[in-house]
Amino acid sequence: MDSCTDSEYEIRVEKKTLSWANEESYQILHDDEILATSETFTNNAVRSYYHCISKKSDGMYTLVMRDRYAERCFAKA
């Protein structure tokens, strides 16, 4: 991955999956702004995803895990 700029954070998300992972993905949000989106995952794997996201003054971000057939799950960071 290329280096992030001084106005960005480098974020690494590690995801371990089991079956049906191709139904899952995630987004990193600030308020309602989408800063990063993953591709759908691969079954039975551990993968790391890297993103450069813009630094926000309040430092509050939301990780939204998506499942094509389930409701949204939130994690605040």
Side-chain angles (χ1 to χ4, degrees):
M1 151 168 219
D2 294 332
S3 300
C4 299
T5 67
D6 289 342
S7 63
E8 297 174 314
Y9 291 119
E10 181 176 315
I11 302 296
R12 180 177 71 93
V13 178
E14 185 174 285
K15 175 73 165 114
K16 179 179 180 180
T17 61
L18 299 173
S19 58
W20 306 105
N22 60 338
E23 297 175 4
E24 301 175 332
S25 63
Y26 68 82
Q27 292 178 324
I28 299 172
L29 309 171
H30 178 264
D31 294 328
D32 291 327
E33 179 185 3
I34 299 170
L35 303 177
T37 302
S38 75
E39 58 194 41
T40 56
F41 302 125
T42 304
N43 291 343
N44 304 305
V46 176
R47 293 195 53 194
S48 293
Y49 302 87
Y50 295 88
H51 305 281
C52 291
I53 62 170
S54 50
K55 292 180 180 177
K56 302 298 182 180
S57 60
D58 63 5
M60 297 296 296
Y61 301 88
T62 304
L63 175 67
V64 179
M65 297 300 299
R66 297 196 175 273
D67 184 314
R68 200 176 337 178
Y69 299 105
E71 298 203 11
R72 293 168 33 145
C73 302
F74 294 91
K76 294 274 187 181

